[in-house]
Short mmCIF file of all heavy atoms in Angstrom, two decimals:
data_model
loop_
_atom_site.label_atom_id
_atom_site.label_comp_id
_atom_site.label_asym_id
_atom_site.label_seq_id
_atom_site.Cartn_x
_atom_site.Cartn_y
_atom_site.Cartn_z
N GLU B 112 -77.88 -36.81 116.49
CA GLU B 112 -78.94 -36.01 117.21
C GLU B 112 -80.31 -36.61 117.26
O GLU B 112 -81.25 -36.05 117.94
CB GLU B 112 -78.94 -34.64 116.79
CG GLU B 112 -77.55 -33.79 116.91
CD GLU B 112 -77.55 -32.43 116.31
OE1 GLU B 112 -78.52 -32.04 115.76
OE2 GLU B 112 -76.45 -31.89 116.31
N LEU B 113 -80.61 -37.56 116.38
CA LEU B 113 -81.92 -38.13 116.18
C LEU B 113 -82.23 -38.96 117.31
O LEU B 113 -81.51 -39.68 117.81
CB LEU B 113 -82.03 -38.95 114.79
CG LEU B 113 -81.95 -38.06 113.59
CD1 LEU B 113 -81.97 -39.02 112.41
CD2 LEU B 113 -83.10 -37.13 113.54
N ARG B 114 -83.41 -38.89 117.80
CA ARG B 114 -84.11 -39.60 118.81
C ARG B 114 -85.36 -40.36 118.43
O ARG B 114 -86.03 -39.88 117.46
CB ARG B 114 -84.29 -38.79 120.19
CG ARG B 114 -83.00 -37.97 120.63
CD ARG B 114 -82.02 -39.24 121.26
NE ARG B 114 -80.80 -38.61 121.81
CZ ARG B 114 -79.71 -38.36 121.18
NH1 ARG B 114 -79.64 -38.81 119.97
NH2 ARG B 114 -78.78 -37.82 121.70
N LEU B 115 -85.83 -41.24 119.04
CA LEU B 115 -87.10 -41.77 118.80
C LEU B 115 -88.14 -40.76 118.88
O LEU B 115 -89.04 -40.82 117.97
CB LEU B 115 -87.41 -43.11 119.82
CG LEU B 115 -88.75 -43.76 119.60
CD1 LEU B 115 -88.94 -44.38 118.26
CD2 LEU B 115 -89.01 -44.73 120.71
N ASP B 116 -88.08 -39.94 119.83
CA ASP B 116 -89.09 -38.91 120.08
C ASP B 116 -89.16 -38.03 118.72
O ASP B 116 -90.19 -37.41 118.46
CB ASP B 116 -88.84 -38.03 121.31
CG ASP B 116 -89.07 -38.81 122.53
OD1 ASP B 116 -89.85 -39.85 122.48
OD2 ASP B 116 -88.69 -38.38 123.52
N THR B 117 -87.98 -37.95 118.08
CA THR B 117 -88.01 -37.03 116.84
C THR B 117 -88.95 -37.64 115.83
O THR B 117 -89.73 -36.94 115.26
CB THR B 117 -86.57 -36.96 116.25
OG1 THR B 117 -85.69 -36.48 117.23
CG2 THR B 117 -86.52 -35.99 115.00
N PHE B 118 -88.81 -39.04 115.56
CA PHE B 118 -89.55 -39.63 114.65
C PHE B 118 -91.13 -39.73 115.14
O PHE B 118 -91.98 -39.60 114.19
CB PHE B 118 -88.99 -41.03 114.31
CG PHE B 118 -87.71 -41.02 113.68
CD1 PHE B 118 -86.55 -41.27 114.35
CD2 PHE B 118 -87.61 -40.53 112.33
CE1 PHE B 118 -85.40 -41.15 113.73
CE2 PHE B 118 -86.37 -40.53 111.67
CZ PHE B 118 -85.23 -40.77 112.38
N VAL B 119 -91.37 -39.84 116.39
CA VAL B 119 -92.72 -39.99 116.80
C VAL B 119 -93.29 -38.56 116.70
O VAL B 119 -94.49 -38.46 116.18
CB VAL B 119 -92.85 -40.30 118.38
CG1 VAL B 119 -94.21 -40.14 118.96
CG2 VAL B 119 -92.33 -41.66 118.58
N GLY B 120 -92.50 -37.42 116.90
CA GLY B 120 -93.07 -36.07 116.67
C GLY B 120 -93.42 -35.86 115.28
O GLY B 120 -94.44 -35.32 114.88
N ASP B 121 -92.57 -36.45 114.20
CA ASP B 121 -92.91 -36.24 112.90
C ASP B 121 -94.13 -36.96 112.48
O ASP B 121 -94.92 -36.46 111.71
CB ASP B 121 -91.68 -36.78 112.09
CG ASP B 121 -90.48 -36.01 112.10
OD1 ASP B 121 -90.36 -34.91 112.66
OD2 ASP B 121 -89.33 -36.63 111.76
N ALA B 122 -94.40 -38.23 112.97
CA ALA B 122 -95.53 -38.89 112.83
C ALA B 122 -96.81 -38.18 113.35
O ALA B 122 -97.91 -38.06 112.58
CB ALA B 122 -95.62 -40.27 113.37
N VAL B 123 -96.75 -37.44 114.43
CA VAL B 123 -97.74 -36.78 114.93
C VAL B 123 -98.11 -35.46 114.14
O VAL B 123 -99.19 -35.20 113.83
CB VAL B 123 -97.39 -36.25 116.46
CG1 VAL B 123 -98.33 -35.15 117.08
CG2 VAL B 123 -97.39 -37.44 117.41
N THR B 124 -96.99 -34.89 113.67
CA THR B 124 -97.18 -33.72 112.80
C THR B 124 -97.94 -34.19 111.42
O THR B 124 -98.79 -33.33 111.07
CB THR B 124 -95.62 -33.09 112.43
OG1 THR B 124 -95.12 -32.58 113.66
CG2 THR B 124 -95.92 -31.99 111.51
N TRP B 125 -97.57 -35.21 110.99
CA TRP B 125 -98.22 -35.75 109.75
C TRP B 125 -99.66 -36.08 110.00
O TRP B 125 -100.49 -35.78 109.14
CB TRP B 125 -97.43 -36.95 109.01
CG TRP B 125 -96.24 -36.59 108.35
CD1 TRP B 125 -94.91 -36.83 108.54
CD2 TRP B 125 -96.27 -35.81 107.05
NE1 TRP B 125 -94.13 -36.29 107.61
CE2 TRP B 125 -94.87 -35.71 106.58
CE3 TRP B 125 -97.27 -35.20 106.27
CZ2 TRP B 125 -94.59 -35.08 105.49
CZ3 TRP B 125 -96.87 -34.58 105.12
CH2 TRP B 125 -95.56 -34.53 104.75
N ALA B 126 -99.87 -36.72 111.17
CA ALA B 126 -101.34 -37.11 111.47
C ALA B 126 -102.13 -35.82 111.73
O ALA B 126 -103.34 -35.87 111.04
CB ALA B 126 -101.31 -37.89 112.71
#
Side-chain angles (χ1 to χ4, degrees):
E112 295 175 8
L113 291 176
R114 302 287 181 266
L115 177 62
D116 287 343
T117 306
F118 294 107
V119 172
D121 292 345
V123 168
T124 298
W125 279 115

